[in-house]
Amino acid sequence: MAFLQYFYVFLWAALAVMTVVVGRKEGLLAFVMAGFFVFMTVWYGLRAFGGIAMFDGTPGIVFKCILGAFAVLLAAVWFLKRRRR
């Protein structure tokens, strides 16, 4: 089970790098997505490598609030981009 924790960290990091490299032409939307993936990399990394319970109690609530903020931000950027076309 510990292998999956490390795998998720590297998966989120790979997605962040790939989004920045491939998404340069997309502009702001790609950078918001990359920011989300970097956040997920750090959050899962703290759990896997630091042994901190990042999904329990107050950190779990903070995690959900940040995910909600990213969802609203992504939706707003996507809507504005679509509206401009």
Side-chain angles (χ1 to χ4, degrees):
M1 192 68 172
F3 168 75
L4 283 178
Q5 290 182 7
Y6 302 126
F7 177 74
Y8 284 135
V9 173
F10 293 115
L11 174 70
W12 290 120
L15 286 171
V17 170
M18 185 179 73
T19 304
V20 169
V21 170
V22 174
R24 285 186 180 163
K25 64 180 178 177
E26 291 296 320
L28 183 61
L29 185 64
F31 288 112
V32 172
M33 288 291 294
F36 170 73
F37 292 141
V38 167
F39 165 74
M40 294 296 283
T41 301
V42 170
W43 204 267
Y44 275 81
L46 287 172
R47 182 185 72 170
F49 299 115
I52 303 169
M54 297 304 291
F55 298 102
D56 298 332
T58 304
I61 294 170
V62 170
F63 177 73
K64 291 172 189 168
C65 291
I66 292 173
L67 285 184
F70 267 115
V72 169
L73 181 62
L74 283 171
V77 169
W78 177 81
F79 180 74
L80 291 175
K81 184 176 180 179
R82 184 175 171 113
R83 193 173 192 205
R84 288 181 187 168
R85 288 185 183 173

